[in-house]
Amino acid sequence: MHRIIEKEQLSAEVFRFKVEAPNIARERKAGQFIILQMGGDYNERIPLTIADADPEEGTITLIFQAVGESTHRLALLNVGDSIANLLGPLGKPTHIENFGRCVCVGGGIGVAPLYPIVKALKAAGNQVKVIIGARNKGLIIMEEEMRKAADELIVVTDDGSYGRKALVTEPLKELCSTWAPNLAVAIGPPIMMKFCALATKEFGVKTVVSLNTIMIDGTGMCGGCRVSIDGQTKFVCVDGPEFDGHQVDWNNMLTRLGTYKSQEAMAHHRCHIDLNIEEGKA
Amino acid sequence: MSEKSREVLEEEAKALLKDSYTAKERASLPVQPMPSQDPKQRIHNMDEVALGYTDSQALLEANRCLNCKNKPCVEGCPVGIDIPAFIHHITQRDIKAAGDEIAKASLLPAICGRVCPQENQCQLYCTVGKMHKDIDQSVSIGRLERYVADTLAKENEQSVAKIAPPTGKKVCVVGSGPASIAAAADLCKAGHKVTMFEALHKGGGVLVYGIPEFRLPKAIVARELAKLTAMGVDIQTNFLVGRTRSIKELMEKDGYDAVFVGSGAGLPKFMGIDGENLVGVLSANEFLTRSNLMKAYDHEHALTPMPQISKVAVFGGGNVAMDAARTALRLGAQKVSVIYRRSENELPARKEEVGHAKEEGVEFLLLHNPSRIIADESGHVKGVELLTCELGEPDASGRRSPVEIPGSETFYEYDTVIVAIGNNSNPLIKMTTEGIETTRKGTFVVNPDTNETTLKGVWAGGDIVLGAATVILAMGQGRKAAKAMNEYLAK
Ligand SMILES: Cc1cc2nc3c(=O)[nH]c(=O)nc-3n(C[C@H](O)[C@H](O)[C@H](O)COP(=O)(O)OP(=O)(O)OC[C@H]3O[C@@H](n4cnc5c(N)ncnc54)[C@H](O)[C@@H]3O)c2cc1C
Ligand SMILES: Cc1cc2nc3c(=O)[nH]c(=O)nc-3n(C[C@H](O)[C@H](O)[C@H](O)COP(=O)(O)OP(=O)(O)OC[C@H]3O[C@@H](n4cnc5c(N)ncnc54)[C@H](O)[C@@H]3O)c2cc1C
Ligand code: SF4
Ligand code: SF4
Ligand code: FES
């Protein structure tokens, strides 16, 4: 059992938990994730990135967006409650070295998984510029942490309610042409990662993306997480989650993510009723 | 596999029971059919299909055994259960003694009695079958084994294992499938402190996530795991060896004196044909895991979704394919076809499961091989293209190999494809452990006498060594390794 020792609501839909998980805190590296299951026979297994960890304290930090039934149920847990099952750290750690100049792009909830990577890149001696973006001001998360960790931070919103009114790809293209980064890292909604990869391709900037495919076991057993990378089938949970964004078959990945759309939409609707959640309030 | 109800079968068997039989009478007793749920009903539920012998049926079936002096059937059992001895105890109505006899060789009779491919093992060698020149006439050894195990479980009569005084040694087993369960039990009995590490949130390996409830009730697997806990084995779920902790760290930092790896063959194979990543194509592992482990068949309660399926093509002809096909029917599929490139004789699945699948309405498209999977505009499966095959010369395995007939491509409409062509070994432990050698296929290289790997202090068994094999072989390997480990730890 993994006790929740801190809970914070970062925005209307986004929550931060600090959870006891000494084994995972000890081993985890930037870029890795966990899979949790809230006990019993019926709960789903949910993959979430390890946003931070404290090996001494034996805790890990998870930041998640309540998007569907399972993440809503998770959001209803409070300090002192426990998560029955927590498996990790999963996936390959981010490859960190001194690349020189790195631009890191985070969209929406993707800012959370980006944070440990930014810190690790900095620690390895890189110059790191960070772009974070969200639909509107209320959905911007971890701005303060990022400002501290990065050499420069650019904030954009789709509707201009905060920072610059733009999509993340705009400042990304500018940096590619003016600053010539050696590496780009983009994490966020798949569609955003797809367009970031398209943007950097023009400039020949190698781009790492972190794929959030549908998963069950996270150990390489089911193949549900498979994606096509440069024409080859890979399992995101064991071969990834990070891949070269220029080699991902984005269209296939986006269609596969939609596999359970109708069931999810029904569940989402149902959970707002069952769990007494107001629409728009997670 | 009988139309008759359990009650009728009991009455019929009872009528034939006598205190003693002549050899001739024994040989002419009718083989007892397995009472089963009606196929029309059972495709609407997940309950076990085979209901188990009644008392009189078991007694009668046991009396069909000739108690052969040379015990040919024992040759066919991978763990060498003294079959005539346990069956003789049944004829004496001493089920406890029968159970004790089985327990000398097998730790999981309730499971193996249900899932062993008996027709290729013990029953293949049975004198009675040979006499009738019909393997279906062999003594139903597996069913009797199941009867003994179930009867004792019902009466709570299972012998409690004797545990040696603590040795002060610490060992761990990786995985919780049959190989690891067997190894853990034997290591624990020797007095070692045993920890079992399982990656998933529930123990049991394939017995839990792969084989469906209707063939192996999960309560039986839970019972076996509860026995381990009662013996003192510490079962830690959500622990992925290689990621949560490496084998080297377990041995050097956490003080484990020896390690058994039973990590199975959990890496689904795909065919490498066009369209395999389309929406609507699932590995059998994914499909079965959603249904069994995540209980997605119970869509009222489960949060894990199941794809909406209507016309389902299953590629493959083994147990995994049968389980996927029959699960698909139970999930409401209108049509399910098993597509296999050889003929019925070569189907690797247990004969009983092929029979069950047919009774339930699964269609068999034999001598057909998929060449590609075709999508509609939205990227969802709309059908598969199949080539017709004919059987050529026998290959290395002795099976006649299929030869595709050029130009025979035909389109068949399906909305779901389940790929059940087998599993390779999961590479994670190999990837994260220096010193463990593997074969070209990725299975661990072990000393055949002891199952020790090329890394000192590490043993392995089950599918990680054999490739996708069987429950009984996995269990046997777990025991063999545990024996060698116990000798090593005693030094
Ligand atoms: C490696 C990895 C790391 C992730 N890290 C984070 C994170 O740090 N923070 C965060 O908020 N989210 C993260 N996600 C996404 C998160 O797992 C999903 O949002 C969550 O599972 C949705 O579950 P739900 O039942 O609430 O929503 P649903 O209504 O079931 O689904 C909403 C959307 O989430 C996706 N999804 C559904 N089920 C799964 C599943 N089993 N696995 C993966 N995706 C699924 C689907 O694309 C779907 O459209 C990560 C995903 C992966 C694969
Ligand atoms: C659908 C299906 C039907 C089958 N039907 C039959 C049948 O009818 N009869 C028969 O005899 N056989 C059948 N088999 C085969 C049989 O189930 C296997 O041969 C047997 O289960 C192998 O046992 P095992 O202990 O080697 O591994 P498994 O049962 O595969 O268990 C391995 C366990 O190890 C865990 N694991 C893996 N890696 C790690 C790690 N790094 N750290 C921690 N845990 C880990 C896995 O999660 C899993 O739980 C079937 C198999 C399948 C898939
Ligand atoms: S364990 Fe399997 S092979 Fe051995 S006797 Fe029992 S059913 Fe036959
Ligand atoms: S071969 Fe058949 S008849 Fe002979 S002992 Fe074995 S089960 Fe009995
Ligand atoms: S999640 Fe099952 S193989 Fe990756």
Side-chain angles (χ1 to χ4, degrees):
Chain A
M1 293 296 251
H2 304 271
R3 217 154 45 94
I4 299 169
I5 57 171
E6 274 176 42
K7 174 182 180 178
E8 187 186 352
Q9 186 158 8
L10 301 184
S11 76
E13 291 179 352
V14 178
F15 297 82
R16 185 178 68 85
F17 279 1
K18 196 188 251 195
V19 187
E20 282 174 351
N23 285 339
I24 301 173
R26 181 183 59 201
E27 300 290 328
R28 77 96 210 191
K29 298 199 175 62
Q32 290 185 301
F33 62 99
I34 53 94
I35 286 193
L36 66 81
Q37 199 265 2
M38 283 182 275
D41 269 351
Y42 296 117
N43 273 306
E44 203 170 7
R45 292 169 67 92
I46 324 174
L48 296 174
T49 308
I50 305 168
D52 211 346
D54 184 336
E56 264 87 71
E57 200 183 53
T59 60
I60 59 170
T61 300
L62 304 173
I63 296 181
F64 65 95
Q65 185 169 11
V67 290
E69 182 153 9
S70 295
T71 41
H72 275 95
R73 285 178 189 272
L74 187 64
L76 291 178
L77 296 184
N78 286 311
V79 171
D81 291 341
S82 286
I83 297 171
N85 299 298
L86 203 55
L87 168 69
L90 301 174
K92 289 188 176 153
T94 310
H95 174 73
I96 301 286
E97 62 172 66
N98 191 344
F99 297 96
R101 290 180 302 280
C102 302
V103 52
C104 296
V105 190
I109 186 75
V111 174
L114 191 65
Y115 178 64
I117 298 174
V118 169
K119 283 209 300 189
L121 285 172
K122 265 313 281 182
N126 291 281
Q127 259 186 291
V128 185
K129 295 195 179 184
V130 175
I131 304 167
I132 62 176
R135 287 201 307 277
N136 58 50
K137 183 179 180 193
L139 298 174
I140 291 281
I141 57 165
M142 302 184 79
E143 185 188 351
E144 275 325 300
E145 288 95 324
M146 278 296 193
R147 200 173 295 284
K148 266 189 229 141
D151 293 301
E152 187 187 334
L153 177 72
I154 301 165
V155 182
V156 301
T157 50
D158 293 9
D159 65 355
S161 53
Y162 189 64
R164 182 170 154 191
K165 179 176 190 307
L167 298 175
V168 289
T169 42
E170 263 180 52
L172 175 61
K173 279 187 197 161
E174 289 161 15
L175 280 179
C176 280
S177 65
T178 58
W179 193 53
N182 305 95
L183 180 78
V185 180
I187 307 184
I191 196 76
M192 175 212 107
M193 292 192 280
K194 172 181 167 174
F195 283 103
C196 286
L198 279 176
T200 54
K201 197 162 184 187
E202 277 173 48
F203 300 91
V205 177
K206 186 178 151 75
T207 300
V208 172
V209 294
S210 179
L211 302 183
N212 47 353
T213 49
I214 290 178
M215 294 190 176
I216 306 182
D217 57 301
T219 69
M221 182 269 281
C222 76
C225 62
R226 66 196 190 279
V227 285
S228 175
I229 304 291
D230 199 21
Q232 290 217 11
T233 295
K234 297 278 178 192
F235 289 5
V236 173
C237 68
V238 286
D239 302 319
E242 290 170 11
F243 293 97
D244 179 343
H246 298 149
Q247 296 188 337
V248 176
D249 181 342
W250 291 104
N251 292 344
N252 179 254
M253 180 183 153
L254 285 161
T255 355
R256 284 183 61 83
L257 269 173
T259 306
Y260 300 100
K261 224 182 245 152
S262 60
Q263 286 109 308
E264 284 157 2
M266 260 165 55
H268 192 178
H269 179 67
R270 188 175 68 213
C271 77
H272 272 252
I273 300 170
D274 285 3
L275 308 178
N276 259 321
I277 299 168
E278 241 176 90
E279 209 60 56
K281 288 271 168 64
Chain B
M1 300 244 267
S2 165
E3 315 262 293
K4 295 177 185 160
S5 73
R6 210 160 181 263
E7 292 69 34
V8 172
L9 291 169
E10 162 69 15
E11 285 311 313
E12 288 183 0
K14 209 172 188 174
L16 293 173
L17 279 181
K18 291 206 299 185
D19 286 338
S20 66
Y21 301 87
T22 64
K24 211 165 153 212
E25 281 172 335
R26 278 184 204 287
S28 62
L29 289 175
V31 59
Q32 290 301 295
M34 179 57 105
S36 307
Q37 267 200 76
D38 179 348
K40 284 196 222 53
Q41 269 162 22
R42 71 188 189 224
I43 60 168
H44 301 296
N45 65 52
M46 278 286 163
D47 300 341
E48 192 170 17
V49 166
L51 302 171
Y53 276 162
T54 66
D55 293 337
S56 301
Q57 277 191 295
L59 208 47
L60 198 66
E61 186 66 29
N63 274 299
R64 296 184 64 238
C65 171
L66 307 175
N67 210 340
C68 310
K69 285 274 142 351
N70 56 344
K71 308 180 181 184
C73 48
V74 178
E75 288 291 296
C77 172
V79 298
I81 293 179
D82 191 337
I83 294 165
F86 98 77
I87 294 184
H88 180 72
H89 288 303
I90 302 179
T91 65
Q92 303 305 302
R93 303 181 190 235
D94 188 350
I95 308 303
K96 178 81 175 55
D100 289 343
E101 184 58 54
I102 296 172
K104 286 182 197 163
S106 173
L107 292 172
L108 305 169
I111 296 171
C112 295
R114 285 174 165 82
V115 304
C116 259
Q118 290 97 0
E119 71 273 14
N120 299 322
Q121 298 182 354
C122 50
Q123 290 172 203
L124 179 61
Y125 298 89
C126 174
T127 314
V128 180
K130 293 246 157 83
M131 243 162 45
H132 291 277
K133 296 200 173 54
D134 177 3
I135 183 160
D136 293 339
Q137 294 288 323
S138 294
V139 174
S140 308
I141 301 166
R143 292 171 182 176
L144 288 173
E145 194 176 318
R146 165 184 171 169
Y147 169 79
V148 171
D150 287 2
T151 307
L152 294 178
K154 223 170 19 203
E155 294 168 3
N156 237 338
E157 273 274 1
Q158 291 167 92
S159 12
V160 187
K162 273 205 279 313
I163 309 225
T167 59
K169 298 276 163 78
K170 247 172 83 170
V171 293
C172 63
V173 305
V174 181
S176 60
S180 302
I181 293 176
D186 284 354
L187 289 162
C188 186
K189 281 184 210 158
H192 310 307
K193 176 95 201 65
V194 183
T195 309
M196 176 180 262
F197 294 119
E198 167 56 47
L200 295 172
H201 62 278
K202 232 186 254 176
V206 169
L207 308 179
V208 160
Y209 75 71
I211 304 182
E213 180 75 20
F214 57 80
R215 208 150 69 77
L216 177 64
K218 300 306 151 230
I220 293 176
V221 185
R223 194 168 77 206
E224 297 304 333
L225 291 167
K227 268 198 233 167
L228 286 184
T229 313
M231 283 167 70
V233 175
D234 175 19
I235 304 180
Q236 295 211 13
T237 48
N238 306 304
F239 196 111
L240 183 63
V241 174
R243 288 269 189 251
T244 312
R245 203 72 164 146
S246 70
I247 290 202
K248 189 164 176 240
E249 288 166 329
L250 286 169
M251 297 182 79
E252 289 175 4
K253 295 198 184 144
D254 302 344
Y256 287 98
D257 298 296
V259 178
F260 173 81
V261 180
S263 53
L267 182 78
K269 281 194 220 169
F270 288 90
M271 303 180 73
I273 59 174
D274 263 10
E276 258 177 334
N277 292 342
L278 295 172
V279 176
V281 184
L282 296 88
S283 77
N285 280 3
E286 178 181 355
F287 183 67
L288 291 169
T289 301
R290 281 181 186 274
S291 179
N292 298 328
L293 182 71
M294 308 312 295
K295 300 270 180 278
Y297 65 79
D298 185 350
H299 34 118
E300 287 267 303
H301 297 102
L303 289 173
T304 303
M306 206 47 170
Q308 265 142 14
I309 56 176
S310 160
K311 290 185 181 157
V312 182
V314 180
F315 296 169
N319 287 320
V320 187
M322 298 308 130
D323 285 345
R326 298 172 66 202
T327 299
L329 279 180
R330 284 161 175 75
L331 289 168
Q334 299 303 306
K335 170 183 156 156
V336 180
S337 317
V338 163
I339 295 161
Y340 180 60
R341 61 203 177 115
R342 303 178 206 241
S343 71
E344 170 132 17
N345 279 333
E346 288 81 19
L347 277 173
R350 293 181 74 220
K351 211 170 152 191
E352 186 169 310
E353 308 313 334
V354 176
H356 280 151
K358 284 187 178 163
E359 286 172 4
E360 290 168 7
V362 172
E363 175 192 77
F364 283 76
L365 267 176
L366 301 166
L367 291 167
H368 279 81
N369 205 20
S371 48
R372 61 191 179 111
I373 307 169
I374 298 161
D376 63 16
E377 319 72 59
S378 65
H380 195 287
V381 173
K382 76 166 179 196
V384 301
E385 190 179 81
L386 304 180
L387 280 157
T388 316
C389 301
E390 54 191 8
L391 287 184
E393 294 302 308
D395 63 11
S397 69
R399 293 185 303 178
R400 295 180 62 192
S401 45
V403 183
E404 290 173 354
I405 301 170
S408 62
E409 291 89 348
T410 313
F411 175 82
Y412 293 78
E413 204 182 299
Y414 292 104
D415 53 37
T416 305
V417 171
I418 300 172
V419 183
I421 58 162
N423 288 303
N424 285 326
S425 19
N426 191 319
L428 183 66
I429 292 190
K430 153 80 183 159
M431 264 161 46
T432 54
T433 316
E434 222 177 289
I436 287 197
E437 271 173 43
T438 55
T439 64
R440 240 189 23 228
K441 286 183 174 162
T443 52
F444 286 11
V445 173
V446 297
N447 173 338
D449 298 324
T450 61
N451 271 42
E452 185 166 13
T453 67
T454 50
L455 185 63
K456 193 171 155 49
V458 180
W459 282 257
D463 282 1
I464 187 64
V465 170
L466 300 168
T470 60
V471 173
I472 186 76
L473 285 169
M475 191 201 79
Q477 287 224 318
R479 301 203 76 181
K480 198 205 293 177
K483 184 160 172 278
M485 291 168 80
N486 287 335
E487 282 162 14
Y488 167 85
L489 292 166
K491 274 182 206 151

